[in-house]
Amino acid sequence: MTTAIGQPLTRVDGRAKVTGAARFPTEVPAPGMTHACLVGARIAGGRVTSVDASAAWEEPGVLAVLTHENLPRIAEQPPLVPSLFGGPAPGETFFPMQDDVVHYGGQHVALVVADTHERAQHAAALLRIEYEESEPLTTIEQGRDQAYEPEAIFGGFLPARNSRGDIGAGLAEAGVRVEGTYRFAANNHNPLETSGSTAVWDGDELVLHDGTQGVNATQLTVAALLGIPLSKIRVVSPYVGGSFGCKAMVWHHPTLAAMAARVVGRPVRLALTREQMFTSCGHREEQEQHLTLGATADGRLTALRHHKLSPTSPFDDWAEPSLQTAAQMYACPHYEGSYRLFRANTMTPTFMRGPGDSSGMFALECAMDELACRLAIDPVELRLRNFASVDPVSGKPWSSNGIEECFARGAARFGWYDRDPEPRARREGSWLIGTGMAAAGYPAPPPGTPQRARARIYADGSVVVQAATPEFGTGVATAMSQVAADALGVPVSRCRFEKGDTDFPGIAAAVGSAGAGMISAAVHTAATALREQLVREAVADSGSPLHGTDASEVAVHDGAMTAGRASEQYADLLRRNHRPDAEASGTWNPPGMDAPYAMATFGAQFAEVAVDPELGLVRVRRMTGAFAPGRVLNARTARSQLVGGMLWGLGQALLEANHMDPGTGRWVSTSLADYLVAVNADTPDVAVELVEVEDRIVNPLGVKGVGEIGQVGAGAAIANAIHHATGRRVRKMPITVEDLMEAPHA
Ligand code: MOS
């Protein structure tokens, strides 16, 4: 019997999105709508000494000018906890305009509300704000000497230091050592839809339309900041135009929109501009990683030392968790990893696609390539020799892995073994051609809180499933209809998934590739509970053909419950009993930290590049990724996610960079004109192999998620291919023209 799960169904919301029918949070209409514009600080540190709003107030339509002098005070600043874990999740533990201090460039220092967007924008430009400026500190070069080792990073969820074995002994027994410093430029999220919120008060009740990865996280955070009961705030988020981590934590604008709406007594719409996206919702921090590998002559790792240094904000110890998967990938007995931070004039960094591991695995996988070259061992073979069959950090077996099949199928599809391992051996005209590969890994940790959904079947046989989760482009709305269809045994065309509303059962913020697993678990549990309830009712119902049957004998298919020759449609059962519908809730309790398994997703990346050494140009010609994400819910949307991740890896490797101007402490790039992302013209032939592995531990359907794994290792495969092409080992992302240009031959 074919199942709905896994089918490459097209997106249920595709038509609404391409026709413009889909309504995003700052497109929601409301009677009396007003429009808010934010003003960002022109300095990177210091304080606001005066605000002259007189010219702004002379403009027609201006309703409010809010600054540190008159913005309502917050009730309570909740602590920084990663949004996945089900509590309030502020992006940083600082709320702007509570006093005159400016901590970073672009920090919100004023909010102007007017009756039209254009009037608000114009009035905002007329504010005269004076500052007292202090010397900014933003770059690693400036902050290196002030670095400290925090107690913990990532909202306190990860220790800043980890070790196993004895790193000194491991390095001493290594016959060969590879060591290098890896540098990473800061990255900024650039989803199509900039972040924004629309706030509508009705008396003391707030409806907040917000572009978010978790409506419950927004609800919890805004309620705490405003000091209102959770029962008085509903967060709605039916469509979100991409996110990639910048809508995972709850930044200031939804709360500011709600504050402003209360001040003007009318609904407020607040959309960030593209420029403001660079200074209002976090970023991937600039970082430096120092990595040392020790190995025996036959390529077995004896030691891995991995240190990271990065800037954080004045208030929070945040570093993306770059050392996590790199510590788990290989069975290396001696390990030491540590994070160091320094306080800088920046906002708190945040999740960004492939959070942590896309940088940490870059360092590890480039170093592994270097080791393979040094020992003349094939790079795939070197990894297979070292792959950790149990998690070396916890000592627990993997719930599933599939890495060997990823290497085998990826290498076969790519044609890996056709290569001459010698660098600079292949040339086509002025181009040097090279191939490279890398392993990919990403944790599949379940959320820490129960995940809930509700399933309802109507007397006409149509099904609605509800869960609070938003759909931010991942395909969840499509895949969850497939999950419900299989659990209930109804055609997928009869199932509809309703989402993005705190009035629906709670789901943690979809972060770190956890969405597909946790939401499918909740939906599957709810729909299964509904099926079991209906079967119980049928076998107990004297009017049913199934009366008296053992419930465990009843199978469901095509909207009917069947045992042997006896069969009854769900719809007939409901109608006979004069019931308009039946409904069940489901709660999935994720495995805890004490689960006897370690959970991660693995994959393998391969790339071919052409490099013109005279011009320093790189063209990625093709990429192949093989991934083992457990069970695939929808082959089309999963593949799209993986291709998207791989192309982002290409962008991270060759294009994406933002830099702080050390003099002004401001970002150099704040628009899509000069912040480069990969576009169609950069896109090579991309092949994806889906290696389905069974996993009975991670969640009921064995889904490990595909949001991040496509990006992890992609950059390293490209850097390794560049080394193979040119003989140059470039230990940074992005790799740019000046890293590769060679003096023309005399
Ligand atoms: Mo994802 S970058 O963890 O939202």
Side-chain angles (χ1 to χ4, degrees), residues 686-712:
V686 180
V688 168
E689 286 280 315
L690 285 169
V691 176
E692 287 211 52
V693 290
E694 185 172 313
D695 192 317
R696 293 166 177 274
I697 307 299
V698 65
N699 49 50
L701 295 174
V703 176
K704 295 202 281 190
V706 288
E708 332 285 346
I709 186 77
Q711 187 170 348
V712 179

PDB file of all heavy atoms in Angstrom, residues 686-712:
ATOM      1  N   VAL A 686      23.279  20.537  -9.032  1.00  0.00           N
ATOM      2  CA  VAL A 686      23.250  20.037  -7.653  1.00  0.00           C
ATOM      3  C   VAL A 686      22.482  18.719  -7.612  1.00  0.00           C
ATOM      4  O   VAL A 686      21.333  18.656  -8.048  1.00  0.00           O
ATOM      5  CB  VAL A 686      22.576  21.037  -6.693  1.00  0.00           C
ATOM      6  CG1 VAL A 686      22.571  20.493  -5.272  1.00  0.00           C
ATOM      7  CG2 VAL A 686      23.279  22.384  -6.731  1.00  0.00           C
ATOM      8  N   ALA A 687      23.122  17.690  -7.113  1.00  0.00           N
ATOM      9  CA  ALA A 687      22.463  16.391  -6.995  1.00  0.00           C
ATOM     10  C   ALA A 687      22.317  16.034  -5.513  1.00  0.00           C
ATOM     11  O   ALA A 687      23.227  16.282  -4.726  1.00  0.00           O
ATOM     12  CB  ALA A 687      23.286  15.320  -7.708  1.00  0.00           C
ATOM     13  N   VAL A 688      21.164  15.498  -5.163  1.00  0.00           N
ATOM     14  CA  VAL A 688      20.908  15.095  -3.777  1.00  0.00           C
ATOM     15  C   VAL A 688      20.541  13.619  -3.740  1.00  0.00           C
ATOM     16  O   VAL A 688      19.681  13.165  -4.501  1.00  0.00           O
ATOM     17  CB  VAL A 688      19.765  15.933  -3.161  1.00  0.00           C
ATOM     18  CG1 VAL A 688      19.301  15.327  -1.845  1.00  0.00           C
ATOM     19  CG2 VAL A 688      20.206  17.377  -2.950  1.00  0.00           C
ATOM     20  N   GLU A 689      21.216  12.888  -2.892  1.00  0.00           N
ATOM     21  CA  GLU A 689      20.860  11.493  -2.623  1.00  0.00           C
ATOM     22  C   GLU A 689      20.222  11.438  -1.248  1.00  0.00           C
ATOM     23  O   GLU A 689      20.830  11.881  -0.260  1.00  0.00           O
ATOM     24  CB  GLU A 689      22.120  10.617  -2.586  1.00  0.00           C
ATOM     25  CG  GLU A 689      22.760  10.323  -3.909  1.00  0.00           C
ATOM     26  CD  GLU A 689      22.036   9.214  -4.654  1.00  0.00           C
ATOM     27  OE1 GLU A 689      21.704   8.173  -4.033  1.00  0.00           O
ATOM     28  OE2 GLU A 689      21.787   9.400  -5.859  1.00  0.00           O
ATOM     29  N   LEU A 690      19.019  10.904  -1.175  1.00  0.00           N
ATOM     30  CA  LEU A 690      18.364  10.738   0.122  1.00  0.00           C
ATOM     31  C   LEU A 690      18.558   9.301   0.581  1.00  0.00           C
ATOM     32  O   LEU A 690      18.099   8.366  -0.070  1.00  0.00           O
ATOM     33  CB  LEU A 690      16.874  11.052   0.005  1.00  0.00           C
ATOM     34  CG  LEU A 690      16.526  12.541  -0.115  1.00  0.00           C
ATOM     35  CD1 LEU A 690      15.066  12.713  -0.494  1.00  0.00           C
ATOM     36  CD2 LEU A 690      16.825  13.260   1.185  1.00  0.00           C
ATOM     37  N   VAL A 691      19.273   9.146   1.676  1.00  0.00           N
ATOM     38  CA  VAL A 691      19.520   7.823   2.234  1.00  0.00           C
ATOM     39  C   VAL A 691      18.561   7.654   3.414  1.00  0.00           C
ATOM     40  O   VAL A 691      18.766   8.267   4.466  1.00  0.00           O
ATOM     41  CB  VAL A 691      20.992   7.698   2.692  1.00  0.00           C
ATOM     42  CG1 VAL A 691      21.232   6.363   3.369  1.00  0.00           C
ATOM     43  CG2 VAL A 691      21.939   7.887   1.507  1.00  0.00           C
ATOM     44  N   GLU A 692      17.522   6.881   3.210  1.00  0.00           N
ATOM     45  CA  GLU A 692      16.551   6.746   4.306  1.00  0.00           C
ATOM     46  C   GLU A 692      17.034   5.692   5.295  1.00  0.00           C
ATOM     47  O   GLU A 692      17.314   4.561   4.927  1.00  0.00           O
ATOM     48  CB  GLU A 692      15.165   6.381   3.754  1.00  0.00           C
ATOM     49  CG  GLU A 692      14.525   7.566   3.057  1.00  0.00           C
ATOM     50  CD  GLU A 692      12.998   7.573   3.142  1.00  0.00           C
ATOM     51  OE1 GLU A 692      12.444   7.453   4.260  1.00  0.00           O
ATOM     52  OE2 GLU A 692      12.364   7.689   2.081  1.00  0.00           O
ATOM     53  N   VAL A 693      17.160   6.105   6.534  1.00  0.00           N
ATOM     54  CA  VAL A 693      17.539   5.150   7.580  1.00  0.00           C
ATOM     55  C   VAL A 693      16.398   5.087   8.583  1.00  0.00           C
ATOM     56  O   VAL A 693      15.704   6.067   8.823  1.00  0.00           O
ATOM     57  CB  VAL A 693      18.847   5.558   8.292  1.00  0.00           C
ATOM     58  CG1 VAL A 693      20.033   5.396   7.369  1.00  0.00           C
ATOM     59  CG2 VAL A 693      18.773   6.973   8.827  1.00  0.00           C
ATOM     60  N   GLU A 694      16.206   3.898   9.146  1.00  0.00           N
ATOM     61  CA  GLU A 694      15.137   3.754  10.125  1.00  0.00           C
ATOM     62  C   GLU A 694      15.635   4.214  11.485  1.00  0.00           C
ATOM     63  O   GLU A 694      16.756   3.895  11.881  1.00  0.00           O
ATOM     64  CB  GLU A 694      14.710   2.288  10.189  1.00  0.00           C
ATOM     65  CG  GLU A 694      13.522   2.095  11.113  1.00  0.00           C
ATOM     66  CD  GLU A 694      12.976   0.677  11.034  1.00  0.00           C
ATOM     67  OE1 GLU A 694      12.782   0.167   9.916  1.00  0.00           O
ATOM     68  OE2 GLU A 694      12.770   0.092  12.107  1.00  0.00           O
ATOM     69  N   ASP A 695      14.816   4.993  12.150  1.00  0.00           N
ATOM     70  CA  ASP A 695      15.175   5.473  13.480  1.00  0.00           C
ATOM     71  C   ASP A 695      13.935   5.370  14.363  1.00  0.00           C
ATOM     72  O   ASP A 695      12.959   6.086  14.159  1.00  0.00           O
ATOM     73  CB  ASP A 695      15.688   6.918  13.405  1.00  0.00           C
ATOM     74  CG  ASP A 695      16.343   7.363  14.707  1.00  0.00           C
ATOM     75  OD1 ASP A 695      15.786   7.069  15.781  1.00  0.00           O
ATOM     76  OD2 ASP A 695      17.405   8.007  14.635  1.00  0.00           O
ATOM     77  N   ARG A 696      13.963   4.480  15.322  1.00  0.00           N
ATOM     78  CA  ARG A 696      12.794   4.272  16.183  1.00  0.00           C
ATOM     79  C   ARG A 696      12.900   5.064  17.478  1.00  0.00           C
ATOM     80  O   ARG A 696      12.053   4.947  18.357  1.00  0.00           O
ATOM     81  CB  ARG A 696      12.657   2.784  16.529  1.00  0.00           C
ATOM     82  CG  ARG A 696      12.316   1.927  15.338  1.00  0.00           C
ATOM     83  CD  ARG A 696      12.536   0.451  15.652  1.00  0.00           C
ATOM     84  NE  ARG A 696      12.125  -0.356  14.509  1.00  0.00           N
ATOM     85  CZ  ARG A 696      10.879  -0.767  14.315  1.00  0.00           C
ATOM     86  NH1 ARG A 696       9.932  -0.484  15.168  1.00  0.00           N
ATOM     87  NH2 ARG A 696      10.578  -1.490  13.250  1.00  0.00           N
ATOM     88  N   ILE A 697      13.938   5.847  17.606  1.00  0.00           N
ATOM     89  CA  ILE A 697      14.196   6.523  18.873  1.00  0.00           C
ATOM     90  C   ILE A 697      13.829   7.998  18.831  1.00  0.00           C
ATOM     91  O   ILE A 697      13.187   8.529  19.742  1.00  0.00           O
ATOM     92  CB  ILE A 697      15.705   6.411  19.233  1.00  0.00           C
ATOM     93  CG1 ILE A 697      16.167   4.959  19.200  1.00  0.00           C
ATOM     94  CG2 ILE A 697      15.985   7.092  20.564  1.00  0.00           C
ATOM     95  CD1 ILE A 697      15.463   4.050  20.179  1.00  0.00           C
ATOM     96  N   VAL A 698      14.230   8.654  17.760  1.00  0.00           N
ATOM     97  CA  VAL A 698      14.241  10.117  17.757  1.00  0.00           C
ATOM     98  C   VAL A 698      12.832  10.692  17.899  1.00  0.00           C
ATOM     99  O   VAL A 698      12.614  11.683  18.599  1.00  0.00           O
ATOM    100  CB  VAL A 698      15.025  10.637  16.528  1.00  0.00           C
ATOM    101  CG1 VAL A 698      14.338  10.288  15.220  1.00  0.00           C
ATOM    102  CG2 VAL A 698      15.281  12.118  16.613  1.00  0.00           C
ATOM    103  N   ASN A 699      11.865  10.058  17.240  1.00  0.00           N
ATOM    104  CA  ASN A 699      10.453  10.443  17.363  1.00  0.00           C
ATOM    105  C   ASN A 699       9.624   9.374  16.669  1.00  0.00           C
ATOM    106  O   ASN A 699      10.188   8.492  16.019  1.00  0.00           O
ATOM    107  CB  ASN A 699      10.207  11.859  16.799  1.00  0.00           C
ATOM    108  CG  ASN A 699      10.805  12.040  15.410  1.00  0.00           C
ATOM    109  OD1 ASN A 699      10.587  11.227  14.531  1.00  0.00           O
ATOM    110  ND2 ASN A 699      11.590  13.091  15.239  1.00  0.00           N
ATOM    111  N   PRO A 700       8.299   9.398  16.781  1.00  0.00           N
ATOM    112  CA  PRO A 700       7.505   8.256  16.308  1.00  0.00           C
ATOM    113  C   PRO A 700       7.705   7.905  14.833  1.00  0.00           C
ATOM    114  O   PRO A 700       7.659   6.738  14.460  1.00  0.00           O
ATOM    115  CB  PRO A 700       6.062   8.694  16.559  1.00  0.00           C
ATOM    116  CG  PRO A 700       6.130   9.742  17.605  1.00  0.00           C
ATOM    117  CD  PRO A 700       7.475  10.393  17.474  1.00  0.00           C
ATOM    118  N   LEU A 701       7.919   8.895  13.974  1.00  0.00           N
ATOM    119  CA  LEU A 701       8.067   8.592  12.559  1.00  0.00           C
ATOM    120  C   LEU A 701       9.531   8.483  12.132  1.00  0.00           C
ATOM    121  O   LEU A 701       9.822   8.222  10.972  1.00  0.00           O
ATOM    122  CB  LEU A 701       7.349   9.646  11.713  1.00  0.00           C
ATOM    123  CG  LEU A 701       5.817   9.678  11.894  1.00  0.00           C
ATOM    124  CD1 LEU A 701       5.216  10.848  11.133  1.00  0.00           C
ATOM    125  CD2 LEU A 701       5.183   8.377  11.437  1.00  0.00           C
ATOM    126  N   GLY A 702      10.443   8.701  13.072  1.00  0.00           N
ATOM    127  CA  GLY A 702      11.868   8.555  12.735  1.00  0.00           C
ATOM    128  C   GLY A 702      12.392   9.666  11.836  1.00  0.00           C
ATOM    129  O   GLY A 702      13.241   9.437  10.980  1.00  0.00           O
ATOM    130  N   VAL A 703      11.893  10.893  12.062  1.00  0.00           N
ATOM    131  CA  VAL A 703      12.250  12.035  11.217  1.00  0.00           C
ATOM    132  C   VAL A 703      13.355  12.846  11.893  1.00  0.00           C
ATOM    133  O   VAL A 703      13.184  13.291  13.025  1.00  0.00           O
ATOM    134  CB  VAL A 703      11.012  12.939  11.015  1.00  0.00           C
ATOM    135  CG1 VAL A 703      11.385  14.185  10.226  1.00  0.00           C
ATOM    136  CG2 VAL A 703       9.897  12.161  10.326  1.00  0.00           C
ATOM    137  N   LYS A 704      14.483  13.052  11.200  1.00  0.00           N
ATOM    138  CA  LYS A 704      15.572  13.812  11.821  1.00  0.00           C
ATOM    139  C   LYS A 704      15.728  15.232  11.274  1.00  0.00           C
ATOM    140  O   LYS A 704      16.505  16.002  11.808  1.00  0.00           O
ATOM    141  CB  LYS A 704      16.880  13.038  11.699  1.00  0.00           C
ATOM    142  CG  LYS A 704      16.837  11.726  12.502  1.00  0.00           C
ATOM    143  CD  LYS A 704      18.214  11.207  12.861  1.00  0.00           C
ATOM    144  CE  LYS A 704      18.858  10.508  11.712  1.00  0.00           C
ATOM    145  NZ  LYS A 704      20.098   9.789  12.107  1.00  0.00           N
ATOM    146  N   GLY A 705      15.005  15.580  10.222  1.00  0.00           N
ATOM    147  CA  GLY A 705      15.046  16.972   9.779  1.00  0.00           C
ATOM    148  C   GLY A 705      16.131  17.247   8.759  1.00  0.00           C
ATOM    149  O   GLY A 705      17.173  16.592   8.733  1.00  0.00           O
ATOM    150  N   VAL A 706      15.865  18.206   7.889  1.00  0.00           N
ATOM    151  CA  VAL A 706      16.769  18.482   6.769  1.00  0.00           C
ATOM    152  C   VAL A 706      17.136  19.963   6.657  1.00  0.00           C
ATOM    153  O   VAL A 706      17.767  20.364   5.691  1.00  0.00           O
ATOM    154  CB  VAL A 706      16.135  18.026   5.424  1.00  0.00           C
ATOM    155  CG1 VAL A 706      16.112  16.523   5.333  1.00  0.00           C
ATOM    156  CG2 VAL A 706      14.738  18.602   5.247  1.00  0.00           C
ATOM    157  N   GLY A 707      16.763  20.759   7.634  1.00  0.00           N
ATOM    158  CA  GLY A 707      16.957  22.201   7.505  1.00  0.00           C
ATOM    159  C   GLY A 707      18.407  22.649   7.487  1.00  0.00           C
ATOM    160  O   GLY A 707      18.749  23.611   6.813  1.00  0.00           O
ATOM    161  N   GLU A 708      19.266  21.988   8.224  1.00  0.00           N
ATOM    162  CA  GLU A 708      20.643  22.479   8.360  1.00  0.00           C
ATOM    163  C   GLU A 708      21.669  21.590   7.658  1.00  0.00           C
ATOM    164  O   GLU A 708      22.684  22.088   7.178  1.00  0.00           O
ATOM    165  CB  GLU A 708      21.055  22.563   9.846  1.00  0.00           C
ATOM    166  CG  GLU A 708      19.948  22.800  10.845  1.00  0.00           C
ATOM    167  CD  GLU A 708      19.404  24.221  10.879  1.00  0.00           C
ATOM    168  OE1 GLU A 708      20.031  25.124  10.313  1.00  0.00           O
ATOM    169  OE2 GLU A 708      18.331  24.410  11.474  1.00  0.00           O
ATOM    170  N   ILE A 709      21.419  20.289   7.631  1.00  0.00           N
ATOM    171  CA  ILE A 709      22.468  19.349   7.231  1.00  0.00           C
ATOM    172  C   ILE A 709      22.998  19.619   5.827  1.00  0.00           C
ATOM    173  O   ILE A 709      24.166  19.379   5.533  1.00  0.00           O
ATOM    174  CB  ILE A 709      21.971  17.879   7.387  1.00  0.00           C
ATOM    175  CG1 ILE A 709      23.080  16.858   7.131  1.00  0.00           C
ATOM    176  CG2 ILE A 709      20.792  17.576   6.462  1.00  0.00           C
ATOM    177  CD1 ILE A 709      24.035  16.712   8.268  1.00  0.00           C
ATOM    178  N   GLY A 710      22.141  20.156   4.940  1.00  0.00           N
ATOM    179  CA  GLY A 710      22.581  20.435   3.565  1.00  0.00           C
ATOM    180  C   GLY A 710      23.691  21.463   3.502  1.00  0.00           C
ATOM    181  O   GLY A 710      24.499  21.482   2.575  1.00  0.00           O
ATOM    182  N   GLN A 711      23.710  22.346   4.498  1.00  0.00           N
ATOM    183  CA  GLN A 711      24.729  23.395   4.493  1.00  0.00           C
ATOM    184  C   GLN A 711      26.033  22.941   5.138  1.00  0.00           C
ATOM    185  O   GLN A 711      27.111  23.403   4.762  1.00  0.00           O
ATOM    186  CB  GLN A 711      24.198  24.628   5.223  1.00  0.00           C
ATOM    187  CG  GLN A 711      25.133  25.811   5.096  1.00  0.00           C
ATOM    188  CD  GLN A 711      24.504  27.087   5.613  1.00  0.00           C
ATOM    189  OE1 GLN A 711      23.306  27.139   5.861  1.00  0.00           O
ATOM    190  NE2 GLN A 711      25.307  28.111   5.787  1.00  0.00           N
ATOM    191  N   VAL A 712      25.916  22.038   6.106  1.00  0.00           N
ATOM    192  CA  VAL A 712      27.111  21.635   6.854  1.00  0.00           C
ATOM    193  C   VAL A 712      28.037  20.831   5.930  1.00  0.00           C
ATOM    194  O   VAL A 712      27.605  19.888   5.283  1.00  0.00           O
ATOM    195  CB  VAL A 712      26.724  20.795   8.095  1.00  0.00           C
ATOM    196  CG1 VAL A 712      27.978  20.373   8.856  1.00  0.00           C
ATOM    197  CG2 VAL A 712      25.775  21.567   8.989  1.00  0.00           C
TER     198      VAL A 712
END
